[in-house]
Amino acid sequence: MKLLIVLAMLAAGAASVQDLSGKMFTFPVQNDRARVRLITSKQQFRAVTVCHRSFTDIKRNHGLFSLSTSGSSNSFLIFWDETNKEMEAHIMNQKSEFIGLDYKANMWHSICTTWDSATGLVQLWFNGRPTISKFVFVDTAITGSTIIILGQEQDAHGGGFDSDQAFVGMMSDVHMWDYVLSSCEIQSYVDELNFTPGNVLNWKALQFVITDKVLVEPKSSVCH
């Protein structure tokens, strides 16, 4: 029995590649430990698109996607600021704020965030509707050892977690590309049609490590 428990613990902490089609990560507890690390070998990004779907009822600040490098804890961060009612995109510690979004509780939201070092432009697509583009003074690539975390916001490379910023809810369909996705591709993602899966992170072939209380479950749907 002890051997089986040890093997189960080792399996839970080991990176695995899975097709998560029709599934979701459930984050049921608020603490500074529960998280999912998404694994990629890529360590340089001159452009980024990240798309995900999330479902929560929390009414406080929380991180949605946290990519840190050895040189910047907020190399690419998507963060909800409850006080100012704004979605924030942080690129190499430079923040862009997007307001006027209908970020309702207890429903799925599709969020895509793009950044291009060639233009300096950051843009958010919220449930298929684009925001205005914002400019950030970052004209170099994101480089260095990459750590990507769901469920927590990194204030240090791979750590510095704060339970007051932890995500509680469900998350699904996480994809990441090393280029700016076209508006048509983004709309196809939002509408759950055929689209080119992420070439950095692909929900259908995702390598990840779960720490603490995070579950992989069938994605919830409404029955009629």
Side-chain angles (χ1 to χ4, degrees), residues 21-146:
S21 300
K23 297 181 180 179
M24 62 184 181
F25 290 129
T26 297
F27 301 83
V29 297
Q30 179 183 346
N31 61 30
D32 61 359
R33 300 179 304 279
R35 61 192 184 273
V36 180
R37 179 173 177 179
L38 307 182
I39 309 300
T40 177
S41 60
K42 191 169 180 62
Q43 297 191 11
Q44 184 177 77
F45 303 92
R46 298 191 179 279
V48 171
T49 301
V50 171
C51 290
H52 73 275
R53 304 187 214 280
S54 60
F55 187 114
T56 186
D57 67 351
I58 52 180
K59 292 295 184 181
R60 55 170 172 76
N61 296 351
H62 55 274
L64 291 162
F65 183 95
S66 176
L67 184 157
S68 78
T69 59
S70 48
S72 171
S73 59
N74 292 329
S75 287
F76 194 92
L77 168 67
I78 305 167
F79 189 86
W80 174 254
D81 183 332
E82 176 67 20
T83 302
N84 296 307
K85 297 292 190 293
E86 63 188 24
M87 196 69 72
E88 299 174 352
H90 298 244
I91 313 297
M92 298 292 286
N93 293 318
Q94 298 209 30
K95 180 175 67 172
S96 297
E97 304 97 346
F98 300 93
I99 61 174
L101 305 176
D102 193 13
Y103 191 47
K104 291 181 179 178
N106 294 315
M107 65 178 294
W108 284 102
H109 295 288
S110 298
I111 302 171
C112 293
T113 309
T114 67
W115 164 73
D116 189 348
S117 65
T119 62
L121 296 182
V122 181
Q123 190 172 26
L124 197 75
W125 292 73
F126 188 81
N127 294 332
R129 301 177 66 88
T131 65
I132 64 170
S133 297
K134 300 288 186 78
F135 179 78
V136 293
F137 291 94
V138 179
D139 58 2
T140 59
I142 296 172
T143 58
S145 173
T146 301

Side-chain angles (χ1 to χ4, degrees), residues 159-195:
F161 306 130
D162 181 348
S163 61
D164 289 336
Q165 297 178 338
F167 177 79
V168 177
M170 291 92 79
M171 193 168 294
S172 186
D173 301 328
V174 182
H175 289 264
M176 180 177 179
W177 299 259
D178 61 0
Y179 57 91
V180 174
L181 218 59
S182 72
S183 58
C184 291
E185 286 272 27
I186 289 175
Q187 193 61 56
S188 292
Y189 169 86
V190 172
D191 293 339
E192 301 189 56
L193 303 174
N194 289 331
F195 64 92

